[in-house]
Amino acid sequence: MPEVKVPELAESITEGTIAEWLKQVGDSVDKGEAIVELETDKVNVEVVSEEAGVLQELLADEGDTVVVGQAIAVVGEGSGNNTSESSTKQEDTKATDNSNKEQQSSESSESNESTESKSEASSQDNGQRVNATPSARKYAREKGIDLSEVSPSSNDVVRKSHVDQSQKQSNTQQSQPAAKEETKKPAQQNPSKPVIREKMSRRKKTAAKKLLEVSNNTAMLTTFNEIDMTNVMDLRKRKKEQFIKDHDGTKLGFMSFFTKAAVAALKKYPEVNAEIDGDEMITKQYYDIGVAVSTEDGLLVPFVRDCDKKNFAEIEDEIGNLAKKARDKKLGLDDMVNGSFTITNGGIFGSMMSTPIINGSQAAILGMHSIITRPIAIDADTIENRPMMYIALSYDHRIIDGKEAVGFLKTIKELIENPEDLLLES
């Protein structure tokens, strides 16, 4: 029978975790239809069936780690259920037909139907089985729990969560006598502090591992500068209405200014656009700029490609599209790999200053922060309140010297404070 295998994901991704089975055994499957959601280090990927038919067997459970090329399901010929609920409804109907029809009270009838359905599900003589997912069956076997004693929500299929709930109820009942005895001991009178213990998602574990690797394997330093945002804010204010009209509703934000300034600075200081590979240094001749996006699942860094060839409106459009895809969990692997430099904006959360961590194998990352009005000395005799932003460059000192790092930030500062020059650079 045709097997569904984990497809090639990306050059740096060799495995993933079964996040959710979208189809269950017995369900009909169309060619090209998604049957499982796979969680990888970067994004979630839907795996599709290459054949039409019926899902015959699941070879991996939710939460299992699978590798590229591994068979995870078997699809056979025939036509199956449209959903797993249809099978449940059929079993419920059979149970109802076998119930005591002589009862006149509807409440008694429902009680008898429920009792008979449970007895049929637990009986070995009539061949009936509790309707449960493969992962729930395996989980129940590992825990030594009888599925017939597990009550699903409504008439739903028994899932791992139902098995967990049943086990917790059983443990609670068993521990009640012991708990009463423990309350007599003075040392146990004060309950422990409340905590929530949960397994980290694959993405969080991977992010933690990579961030630690960056910290351990790079000579990372951070240098700072500050930017007077007066001129760029005035320019945006003057041009924003016309910009929206000229570019079909696209707004002129700060990110396009900093992205174009970063490209100009990278051209001037190419070491910042490099990375170390073994005993070689690779200097990139392209400008794919990563823009950090905050989502419910954590921070993601999709890349805006060829920023040196895009104008302000194209960059703003692309940033907006990537941010929406990130929030909707629609980012593809192609959006997340092979970038050359990253910009992160902690200012949207109110950060005044930070030391960002380098992204992956890149050599540096630019950190933007909040715009705060502060008194600034214009000259020896004049002080004015100006909108100021601190910027930070974290960099790998093995590739980039302090002179280049300071010069890079100074270039960013000069271009943002003189946005007309930035337009000429573009």
Side-chain angles (χ1 to χ4, degrees):
M1 293 184 183
E3 293 179 332
V4 179
K5 297 183 179 181
V6 179
E8 292 288 341
L9 301 170
E11 183 179 351
S12 60
I13 300 177
T14 59
E15 63 180 23
T17 301
I18 301 292
E20 180 184 5
W21 282 105
L22 306 178
K23 292 285 186 177
Q24 298 297 330
V25 172
D27 289 351
S28 60
V29 178
D30 294 329
K31 183 176 180 180
E33 184 176 11
I35 65 169
V36 64
E37 185 177 358
L38 192 67
E39 185 183 49
T40 72
D41 298 348
K42 298 181 181 295
V43 295
N44 283 18
V45 178
E46 289 185 346
V47 179
V48 302
S49 173
E50 299 297 331
E51 302 288 340
V54 177
L55 189 58
Q56 299 285 357
E57 185 180 2
L58 303 182
L59 304 179
D61 294 325
E62 292 179 0
D64 286 354
T65 297
V66 293
V67 298
V68 171
Q70 178 179 337
I72 55 176
V74 177
V75 176
E77 297 180 354
S79 59
N81 304 320
N82 289 330
T83 64
S84 59
E85 292 182 358
S86 62
S87 173
T88 309
K89 291 180 180 178
Q90 291 174 3
E91 292 184 5
D92 291 340
T93 303
K94 290 180 182 179
T96 303
D97 291 338
N98 292 331
S99 65
N100 191 347
K101 297 181 180 179
E102 296 180 359
Q103 296 292 335
Q104 296 179 356
S105 170
S106 61
E107 294 181 359
S108 299
S109 176
E110 291 176 0
S111 176
N112 287 338
E113 289 172 8
S114 174
T115 302
E116 188 169 349
S117 176
K118 290 181 180 179
S119 65
E120 287 181 1
S122 61
S123 175
Q124 297 180 354
D125 297 333
N126 55 18
Q128 294 279 350
R129 296 181 67 197
V130 175
N131 193 20
T133 64
S135 58
R137 293 186 187 282
K138 179 181 177 182
Y139 193 57
R141 286 196 302 270
E142 294 173 350
K143 298 293 184 180
I145 297 174
D146 186 353
L147 279 176
S148 64
E149 298 177 358
V150 179
S151 300
S153 56
S154 303
N155 287 323
D156 197 4
V157 181
V158 174
R159 303 183 186 277
K160 288 176 67 176
S161 59
H162 302 138
V163 178
D164 266 333
Q165 185 177 5
S166 177
Q167 184 185 34
K168 289 178 182 178
Q169 291 175 349
S170 176
N171 291 341
T172 300
Q173 293 173 357
Q174 294 176 4
S175 63
Q176 282 179 350
K180 291 180 179 179
E181 293 180 3
E182 289 178 357
T183 56
K184 298 178 182 179
K185 300 178 182 180
Q188 301 295 328
Q189 287 181 354
N190 294 328
S192 61
K193 298 294 184 181
V195 298
I196 297 176
R197 185 183 295 274
E198 56 185 349
K199 187 176 181 180
M200 291 177 66
S201 69
R202 181 180 188 84
R203 196 163 300 143
K204 282 188 177 295
K205 287 192 294 184
T206 300
K209 179 181 177 181
K210 289 187 175 180
L211 290 174
L212 186 59
E213 287 177 353
V214 169
S215 296
N216 291 336
N217 298 327
T218 62
M220 189 166 61
L221 297 177
T222 304
T223 187
F224 300 90
N225 210 320
E226 62 179 358
I227 298 177
D228 184 346
M229 300 291 289
T230 301
N231 291 336
V232 74
M233 291 176 71
D234 287 345
L235 178 62
R236 287 182 67 234
K237 186 176 181 180
R238 294 197 313 270
K239 300 293 184 179
K240 65 177 182 179
E241 297 297 335
Q242 190 61 44
F243 192 89
I244 292 174
K245 292 179 181 178
D246 292 343
H247 300 287
D248 299 324
T250 299
K251 295 181 179 180
L252 181 59
F254 289 122
M255 284 305 300
S256 55
F257 284 94
F258 277 90
T259 301
K260 296 300 285 188
V263 170
L266 289 171
K267 290 180 178 180
K268 188 174 181 179
Y269 298 96
E271 297 89 349
V272 184
N273 206 35
E275 68 174 83
I276 290 179
D277 183 15
D279 58 356
E280 297 179 333
M281 187 173 78
I282 301 173
T283 303
K284 300 164 188 174
Q285 301 296 303
Y286 57 90
Y287 304 92
D288 294 348
I289 308 299
V291 180
V293 178
S294 178
T295 70
E296 293 180 355
D297 296 328
L299 195 69
L300 298 176
V301 185
F303 292 95
V304 181
R305 307 296 179 184
D306 300 320
C307 290
D308 56 323
K309 301 174 183 177
K310 287 183 169 67
N311 60 31
F312 280 71
E314 290 170 334
I315 290 174
E316 292 289 354
D317 274 338
E318 187 66 13
I319 291 174
N321 291 336
L322 290 172
K324 185 177 186 305
K325 288 171 68 176
R327 289 190 293 268
D328 295 341
K329 300 182 179 181
K330 299 296 184 182
L331 283 174
L333 291 173
D334 290 342
D335 297 321
M336 304 286 292
V337 296
N338 299 328
S340 62
F341 184 76
T342 297
I343 301 174
T344 181
N345 184 6
I348 60 176
F349 305 112
S351 172
M352 182 180 179
M353 185 179 292
S354 67
T355 56
I357 298 179
I358 299 169
N359 182 30
S361 59
Q362 296 173 14
I365 181 172
L366 177 67
M368 300 166 54
H369 300 92
S370 295
I371 300 173
I372 299 175
T373 301
R374 293 188 281 115
I376 299 297
I378 304 303
D379 54 42
D381 302 316
T382 308
I383 294 179
E384 294 183 4
N385 288 332
R386 294 290 183 95
M388 304 297 294
M389 175 193 286
Y390 287 117
I391 55 174
L393 183 75
S394 292
Y395 61 98
D396 189 345
H397 204 359
R398 297 177 302 165
I399 304 177
I400 305 166
D401 292 332
K403 178 182 177 181
E404 281 72 30
V406 172
F408 181 91
L409 276 193
K410 186 179 178 182
T411 300
I412 298 285
K413 171 183 172 67
E414 291 171 347
L415 289 172
I416 296 297
E417 289 185 344
N418 299 279
E420 289 81 4
D421 293 344
L422 182 58
L423 294 174
L424 292 175
E425 287 281 347
S426 303

